[in-house]
């Protein structure tokens, strides 16, 4: 019965968010993939005890119910407008503003690429571990985050018919994917296209959006297998057919994103009986987001490291465990975690308002791209890093807009004085 309720609630929320043209749809699509589907498979396979499955599902169902109530209240009481993404709207973006954004994007690429190649690395001969452990300056780290956050500019380039800019953005996107070998760097460039199709009134385009979303999920698994080759140059030897086969086998065995739920079960089975669990440390750290740990010695370390420690039985500061959103809130707050359904309902509502309050179409598109990545990462349980990266990208974009407004006002004053 609980399994059926989880399916009904997840699908109802997903469809409700889609009908309201809210990016919250992305969060619940992700939770459908990483929780609802694998949870059903485990429930009927007998991998875990009935009580473990029941407790994990019950908490998720209660979370969903409170989230749904919060979102329904938001849409009925505040008469929220729907998010629109029309190709013709992008012509409204001032040329100077677009150039400023694109220049920052290019500068960040030059900084990251210069540091990468300057240290003797190569796109096709470096492994994921090497780039992960590569020493970087704070400027390079910041530039890398901005470069990923600004990936959504590709859609804006295409809408504004700036084909050369689109090709440059696509090339940077490929560099970013091959350089970092992070699956989630695949998202920012592609998600605006998917959202455009999903939020379209044409049913055929909606079908294209759904199909593209499914392909993207599979692409994440394929990219993971490519990353595990170590050296990208080995891909022709292994063959794309073999990579597809390995990806399908990995998905069938419940690996990758489909296996995150196993850590959630583990925490439920042991009733959070681990050091630092049930104390809300992950959210305490989130509250101190912009306070450096060097200044605030009481700031907890990344709670994902503590979850990794208990899950893998290895205390590795570079290891993190993300047990889906439901697993993360449970590890933080125990059996009262379902109350955070209200908190996340408010968060999604706030993000909706923030996106729709952005008047410039290009900036709105890019922020929507960032939000898609934000919600996908939150769905898998990587809340702290997701929110931090989103704030950085959005803040830099807003700073560019302020600089543009100052420049425009100064230009208008100069013209007025000359006249």
């Amino acid at each position: 019965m609980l399994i059926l309720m989880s399916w009904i609630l997840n699908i109802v929320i997903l469809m409700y968010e889609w009908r309201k043209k809210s990016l919250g749809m992305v969060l619940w699509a992700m939770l459908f993939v990483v929780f609802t589907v694998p949870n059903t498979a485990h429930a009927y396979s007998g991998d875990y005890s009935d009580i473990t499955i029941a407790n994990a599902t019950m908490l998720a169902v209660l979370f969903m119910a409170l989230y749904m109530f919060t979102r329904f209240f938001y849409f009925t009481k505040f008469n929220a407008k729907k998010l629109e993404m029309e190709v013709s709207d992008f012509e409204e973006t001032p040329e100077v503003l677009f150039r400023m954004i694109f220049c920052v994007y290019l500068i960040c690429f030059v900084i990251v690429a210069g540091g990468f190649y300057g240290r003797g690395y190569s796109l096709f001969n470096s492994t994921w571990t090497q780039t992960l452990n590569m020493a970087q300056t704070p400027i390079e780290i910041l530039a890398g985050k901005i470069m990923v956050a600004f990936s959504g500019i590709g859609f804006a380039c295409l809408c504004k018919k700036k084909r050369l800019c689109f090709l440059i953005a696509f090339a940077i996107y490929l560099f970013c994917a091959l350089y970092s070998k992070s699956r989630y760097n695949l998202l920012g460039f592609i998600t605006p296209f998917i959202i455009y199709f999903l939020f379209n009134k044409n049913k055929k385009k909606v079908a294209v959006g759904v199909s593209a979303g499914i392909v993207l999920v599979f692409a994440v698994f394929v990219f993971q297998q490519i990353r595990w080759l170590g050296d990208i140059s080995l891909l022709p030897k292994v063959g794309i057919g073999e990579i597809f086969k390995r990806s399908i086998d990995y998905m069938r065995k419940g690996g990758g994103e489909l296996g995150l739920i196993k850590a959630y079960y583990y925490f439920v089975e042991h009733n959070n009986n681990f050091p630092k669990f049930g104390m809300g440390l992950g959210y305490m750290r989130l509250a101190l987001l912009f306070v450096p740990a060097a200044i605030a010695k009481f700031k907890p370390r990344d709670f994902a490291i503590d979850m990794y420690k208990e899950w893998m039985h290895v205390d590795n500061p570079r290891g993190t465990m993300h047990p889906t959103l439901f697993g993360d809130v449970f590890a933080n707050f125990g059996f009262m975690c379902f109350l955070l359904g209200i908190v996340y309902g408010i968060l999604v509502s706030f993000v909706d308002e923030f996106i729709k309050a952005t008047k410039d179409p290009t900036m709105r598109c890019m922020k929507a791209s960032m939000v898609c990545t934000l919600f996908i990462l939150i769905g898998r349980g990587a809340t702290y890093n997701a929110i931090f990266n989103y704030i950085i990208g959005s803040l830099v974009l807003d700073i560019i807009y302020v600089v543009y407004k100052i420049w425009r006002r100064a230009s208008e004053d100069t013209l007025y004085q000359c006249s």
Side-chain angles (χ1 to χ4, degrees):
M1 188 63 176
L2 284 171
I3 295 294
L4 179 60
M5 288 179 66
S6 69
W7 273 78
I8 293 172
L9 276 171
N10 199 156
I11 292 173
V12 166
I13 293 172
L14 183 57
M15 295 302 293
Y16 185 72
E17 298 284 13
W18 171 69
R19 286 177 65 87
K20 295 295 185 181
K21 293 189 176 181
S22 166
L23 294 175
M25 169 193 68
V26 177
L27 172 63
W28 290 96
M30 182 64 176
L31 285 169
F32 185 77
V33 172
V34 300
F35 175 78
T36 303
V37 172
N39 186 52
T40 305
H42 288 300
Y44 289 100
S45 66
D47 296 342
Y48 294 88
S49 67
D50 291 343
I51 189 66
T52 297
I53 297 291
N55 284 338
T57 309
M58 176 189 67
L59 291 171
V61 165
L62 290 172
F63 183 103
M64 292 180 198
L66 288 177
Y67 174 92
M68 184 65 189
F69 172 80
T70 306
R71 292 293 281 158
F72 181 76
F73 179 82
Y74 162 71
F75 281 113
T76 53
K77 292 293 183 182
F78 294 96
N79 193 27
K81 296 180 181 179
K82 294 181 179 180
L83 175 64
E84 301 290 345
M85 282 182 66
E86 297 294 337
V87 173
S88 57
D89 291 344
F90 285 84
E91 295 301 326
E92 298 174 12
T93 297
E95 187 63 23
V96 174
L97 175 60
F98 178 84
R99 289 179 181 179
M100 283 181 173
I101 295 171
F102 199 80
C103 281
V104 171
Y105 184 52
L106 283 176
I107 290 168
C108 289
F109 163 69
V110 170
I111 292 172
V112 173
F116 179 71
Y117 287 112
R119 293 181 177 87
Y121 290 96
S122 166
L123 282 183
F124 297 101
N125 295 316
S126 61
T127 66
W128 174 64
T129 306
Q130 286 175 328
T131 51
L132 182 67
N133 296 324
M134 181 179 69
Q136 286 184 300
T137 65
I139 295 297
E140 288 174 338
I141 294 172
L142 179 62
K145 290 185 181 299
I146 295 170
M147 184 175 69
V148 172
F150 279 25
S151 296
I153 199 171
F155 182 78
C157 292
L158 208 58
C159 291
K160 289 178 71 65
K161 299 178 182 178
K162 293 182 176 294
R163 294 179 178 84
L164 178 60
C165 289
F166 174 78
L167 291 174
I168 293 171
F170 184 68
I172 293 174
Y173 164 70
L174 289 179
F175 167 83
C176 188
L178 294 173
Y179 146 77
S180 68
K181 299 176 178 65
S182 170
R183 294 161 292 166
Y184 291 96
N185 287 347
L186 295 172
L187 304 174
F189 188 90
I190 299 172
T191 48
F193 292 90
I194 296 176
I195 294 300
Y196 166 74
F197 283 111
L198 287 175
F199 285 177
N200 205 284
K201 294 177 182 179
N202 187 308
K203 291 182 179 179
K204 290 183 179 179
K205 289 186 177 180
V206 173
V208 170
V210 173
S211 301
I214 294 171
V215 170
L216 180 59
V217 171
F218 183 65
V220 167
F221 282 89
V222 170
F223 194 73
Q224 187 174 42
Q225 294 298 321
I226 293 174
R227 186 176 76 181
W228 284 348
L229 290 177
D231 192 333
I232 300 294
S233 62
L234 294 174
L235 182 58
K237 296 179 182 179
V238 176
I240 194 66
E242 176 62 22
I243 292 296
F244 282 177
K245 180 179 177 296
R246 291 180 186 181
S247 302
I248 293 169
D249 288 342
Y250 192 59
M251 292 173 71
R252 189 183 296 119
K253 293 175 183 177
E257 311 311 297
L258 299 177
L260 299 177
I261 195 173
K262 296 174 184 177
Y264 177 28
Y265 291 153
Y266 182 73
F267 301 152
V268 170
E269 279 182 330
H270 292 81
N271 195 26
N272 267 357
N273 190 23
F274 307 109
K276 300 182 180 180
F277 276 55
M279 300 168 63
L281 294 182
Y283 289 81
M284 186 185 300
R285 178 178 172 81
L286 190 59
L288 299 169
L289 187 68
F290 291 108
V291 181
I295 298 174
K297 299 295 183 182
F298 56 88
K299 183 177 181 178
R301 73 173 182 175
D302 190 349
F303 187 59
I305 300 173
D306 296 314
M307 290 191 284
Y308 178 88
K309 175 185 174 183
E310 302 307 332
W311 174 239
M312 300 297 292
H313 308 294
V314 176
D315 191 4
N316 178 7
R318 295 195 71 87
T320 55
M321 180 64 229
H322 304 298
T324 78
L325 173 59
F326 300 134
D328 180 71
V329 295
F330 176 77
N332 271 281
F333 299 105
F335 283 93
M336 297 304 292
C337 66
F338 66 89
L339 294 173
L340 268 76
I342 298 172
V343 175
Y344 279 94
I346 294 171
L347 173 65
V348 174
S349 302
F350 174 78
V351 171
D352 276 348
E353 289 298 317
F354 184 65
I355 295 296
K356 286 178 283 192
T358 304
K359 295 179 180 179
D360 183 80
T362 297
M363 289 185 59
R364 187 165 60 246
C365 168
M366 292 176 67
K367 286 184 180 179
S369 167
M370 295 178 205
V371 168
C372 288
T373 303
L374 166 74
F375 284 156
I376 288 172
L377 291 174
I378 286 178
R380 81 187 304 267
T383 307
Y384 182 87
N385 289 336
I387 293 177
F388 180 77
N389 291 342
Y390 169 72
I391 290 175
I392 291 295
S394 186
L395 189 61
V396 171
L397 199 57
D398 285 335
I399 290 172
I400 294 172
Y401 186 71
V402 169
V403 171
Y404 162 73
K405 295 285 280 187
I406 293 172
W407 172 86
R408 192 179 72 173
R409 192 175 295 116
S411 299
E412 289 173 351
D413 288 345
T414 303
L415 287 172
Y416 177 77
Q417 290 172 3
C418 291
S419 62

